[in-house]
Amino acid sequence: MNIISQTTAFGGMQGVFTHESNACKCDMTFAVFVPPKAIKEPCPVVWYLSGLTCTHANVMEKGEYRRMAAELGLIVVCPDTSPRGNDVPDELTNWQMGKGAGFYLDATEMPWSENYQMYSYITEELPAYVSQHFRMDMSRQGIFGHSMGGHGAMTIALRNPERFKSCSAFAPIVEPSTADWSAPAFEKYLGPDRAAWRKYDACALVSDGTRFPEFLIDQGKADGFLENGLRPWLFEDVVKETDIKLTLRLHERYDHSYYFISTFMDDHLKWHAERLV
């Protein structure tokens, strides 16, 4: 593990690291905040997945999670959103595809399938790697994220309910297979057969019988992507006939930015801490 930076914050450690990824076939960067409690004992882990165009740095620099994570004794891991490097395929003029837009899936179509294995990276490789280097209690894991990362968190939780005890999201793309800003990427990554898309779509997973106990979703009503990209009411509708509990909070005047995320970050960390006891 290569150390890019380590900084003390709220008595804990905020670090940025790189490692060679077998899944993505490139060097991957991730951030980890370790609370002071981890000096004495293993701590629960919360994974934060960022959105389109982001890296690990967006939430690390603007999410304002460290004070509450230190208080609650939570380790927060912030992976990158896609593979990186000169040899990694990309669409330079399309911010919804390629680098920064991995959509937390395992691509099956060339040229993307060589590197874009983000589902496997997030669910298998990175957890196995970081648990060797930090004092983590891997029996207590939660996951959350923003936008594309909210989509990733929800689908990963739904598909891995035995691993994750909590899940929340800020402005998630709840049905990416039909959303304007994700369906074209899904076709390029996964091919034209939409049946293959369903395991990466929260609404489709619930419709197909997949379950997770409960979700917290915060959504700004002034979000410019609300109507065509996010549409949380679709997830609200699909869980109505299930035993899944949904807390959906709509906020006047809030948009899609980290001003919105940082406002409600404490609520989400407390949500996870209550379920990771």
Side-chain angles (χ1 to χ4, degrees):
M1 185 169 66
N2 299 312
I3 300 172
I4 303 302
S5 65
Q6 286 183 304
T7 305
T8 300
F10 298 98
M13 185 279 296
Q14 175 66 69
V16 179
F17 310 91
T18 65
H19 74 119
E20 184 178 348
S21 167
N22 292 322
C24 297
K25 296 182 173 58
C26 64
D27 286 344
M28 294 293 287
T29 303
F30 61 94
V32 180
F33 176 74
V34 180
K37 186 177 180 180
I39 296 172
K40 299 179 180 179
E41 61 186 81
C43 290
V45 186
V46 182
W47 300 82
Y48 179 90
L49 307 184
S50 291
L52 287 162
T53 75
C54 292
T55 69
H56 69 282
N58 293 74
V59 68
M60 187 184 77
E61 296 172 356
K62 298 182 287 188
E64 301 182 19
Y65 58 82
R66 279 172 287 270
R67 179 187 60 80
M68 185 55 65
E71 180 180 322
L72 297 171
L74 297 174
I75 294 174
V76 182
V77 183
C78 309
D80 202 348
T81 55
S82 76
R84 308 276 177 178
N86 294 333
D87 297 328
V88 173
D90 193 18
E91 290 189 0
L92 295 177
T93 60
N94 182 5
W95 62 276
Q96 299 168 333
M97 187 71 196
K99 295 177 187 177
F103 279 98
Y104 303 103
L105 51 76
D106 284 349
T108 57
E109 302 298 298
M110 290 295 291
W112 313 103
S113 57
E114 182 70 12
N115 301 98
Y116 287 78
Q117 301 295 309
M118 289 300 294
Y119 179 84
S120 292
Y121 177 69
I122 296 296
T123 61
E124 298 174 15
E125 184 177 19
L126 188 58
Y129 187 78
V130 296
S131 63
Q132 298 175 21
H133 295 276
F134 301 95
R135 192 169 288 176
M136 299 176 167
D137 183 349
M138 300 301 278
S139 69
R140 294 185 290 164
Q141 295 186 65
I143 189 166
F144 69 147
H146 170 230
S147 194
M148 177 185 74
H151 135 74
M154 293 172 69
T155 56
I156 288 171
L158 280 162
R159 293 176 60 182
N160 298 274
E162 73 291 343
R163 178 181 300 183
F164 296 99
K165 295 182 179 298
S166 58
C167 181
S168 68
F170 301 99
I173 309 171
V174 300
E175 194 174 80
S177 61
T178 63
D180 291 350
W181 64 348
S182 50
F186 270 43
E187 184 162 3
K188 292 176 184 178
Y189 284 136
L190 301 171
D193 181 5
R194 292 191 172 228
W197 303 9
R198 298 184 68 83
K199 62 183 178 180
Y200 301 113
D201 183 307
C203 287
L205 283 167
V206 173
S207 294
D208 292 345
T210 307
R211 296 291 181 264
F212 193 78
E214 57 182 336
F215 295 91
L216 167 64
I217 295 176
D218 276 312
Q219 173 66 61
K221 294 179 74 173
D223 190 321
F225 302 110
L226 179 58
E227 295 294 331
N228 295 323
L230 307 174
R231 307 170 296 165
W233 50 84
L234 297 179
F235 192 71
E236 185 178 34
D237 287 342
V238 80
V239 301
K240 283 181 179 177
E241 302 304 319
T242 74
D243 58 355
I244 296 173
K245 297 178 182 178
L246 172 63
T247 301
L248 173 59
R249 307 192 304 185
L250 302 176
H251 304 280
E252 299 286 348
R253 303 188 306 279
Y254 283 95
D255 60 15
H256 200 66
S257 72
Y258 269 89
Y259 297 110
F260 157 64
I261 296 168
S262 62
T263 299
F264 300 102
M265 178 62 76
D266 283 4
D267 290 354
H268 283 245
L269 291 174
K270 290 176 182 177
W271 167 276
H272 290 279
E274 289 170 358
R275 289 154 181 79
L276 297 177
V277 293

